[in-house]
Amino acid sequence: TDFFIMPAYHSKRNEEGGYEEACGCAICPLKSELKGPIAPFVPTSAEDEDIVDETLTYFRANVLFRNFDIRGAADKTLMYLTLHVVQCLVKCEKIDDKPTALRELRALSTKQFAIPGDPNFSLPGLISLPASKAEGDLFKAYMKQAREELCIRLCDKLFDKDGTKNKWWQSFSKKKFMGKEMKD
């Protein structure tokens, strides 16, 4: 019998290409005022999304997939950030106010974390090992900035304007993207 396989959502950054890469992940510009090595994202229209926006927009659909067809370096960045969203949601399970959640998630996002080649890295084989120390340092610096920006924007989605937790977002803490979880 024929059946329809629902495709995952992929990054629009794959089509653009031309981004610097670290460990096979695209180093995409970010809409961020945080300090970091990445050039700021310059939108060409009000609807333009950076990779963090894409991660949050596609998260609730993509997290349901056990398989993800990688179509480019930006998809690897999207995968990594999707795993970080799950990690953040798990961290927020017992937190009921936005200021505490933001403080805890920023601490989680900026603390020491595994990079490709480390024994507890979550995506071995899917994200390449760094070819040099400089490449590993670029991956770490970019992901640190992207993770922190992601947690700030996630808090805006996870908590409604009145300060109550959005139960629909929080319910996704029980899901594992591709059956994986971040261990750091």
Side-chain angles (χ1 to χ4, degrees):
T1 62
D2 291 331
F3 61 94
F4 179 72
I5 297 175
M6 184 70 188
Y9 289 93
H10 296 276
S11 176
K12 296 172 190 157
R13 305 285 159 258
N14 288 325
E15 299 161 11
E16 296 170 1
Y19 295 110
E20 182 179 6
E21 292 183 20
C23 302
C25 292
I27 305 297
C28 303
L30 300 170
K31 288 191 269 185
S32 177
E33 294 181 13
L34 299 171
K35 216 167 51 169
I38 307 314
F41 179 80
V42 180
T44 55
S45 73
E47 295 85 38
D48 257 1
E49 296 182 320
D50 69 358
I51 193 77
V52 172
D53 290 330
E54 286 185 342
T55 301
L56 293 171
T57 298
Y58 302 149
F59 173 76
R60 292 186 290 178
N62 280 350
V63 76
L64 302 174
F65 290 99
R66 291 200 49 80
N67 299 307
F68 189 86
D69 177 36
I70 300 168
R71 296 188 181 164
D75 276 351
K76 292 181 181 185
T77 304
L78 185 75
M79 287 170 50
Y80 181 88
L81 293 176
T82 298
L83 282 175
H84 186 60
V85 172
V86 174
Q87 184 182 32
C88 289
L89 290 174
V90 169
K91 182 79 170 177
C92 284
E93 284 178 331
K94 293 181 174 66
I95 299 173
D96 291 324
D97 64 289
K98 187 175 178 178
T100 304
L102 186 57
R103 185 178 61 250
E104 291 292 322
L105 293 184
R106 286 186 90 163
L108 173 70
S109 297
T110 57
K111 76 173 186 148
Q112 191 74 10
F113 57 92
I115 66 168
D118 290 346
N120 58 342
F121 184 67
S122 302
L123 295 169
L126 294 174
I127 295 181
S128 311
L129 297 175
S132 65
K133 182 173 178 351
E135 184 178 10
D137 290 345
L138 176 60
F139 178 87
K140 185 166 250 175
Y142 176 73
M143 289 305 177
K144 180 180 177 188
Q145 185 179 354
R147 286 163 54 117
E148 189 174 5
E149 184 63 37
L150 177 72
C151 80
I152 292 167
R153 295 189 213 170
L154 176 62
C155 276
D156 290 337
K157 294 197 176 292
L158 189 56
F159 291 90
D160 295 326
K161 291 192 188 311
D162 66 358
T164 60
K165 192 180 275 188
N166 182 319
K167 66 181 180 180
W168 303 113
W169 264 93
Q170 186 61 62
S171 68
F172 283 91
S173 66
K174 306 286 186 232
K175 302 292 181 189
K176 287 186 181 179
F177 177 58
M178 296 176 25
K180 300 187 178 295
E181 63 184 334
M182 286 196 164
K183 300 171 185 114
D184 52 50

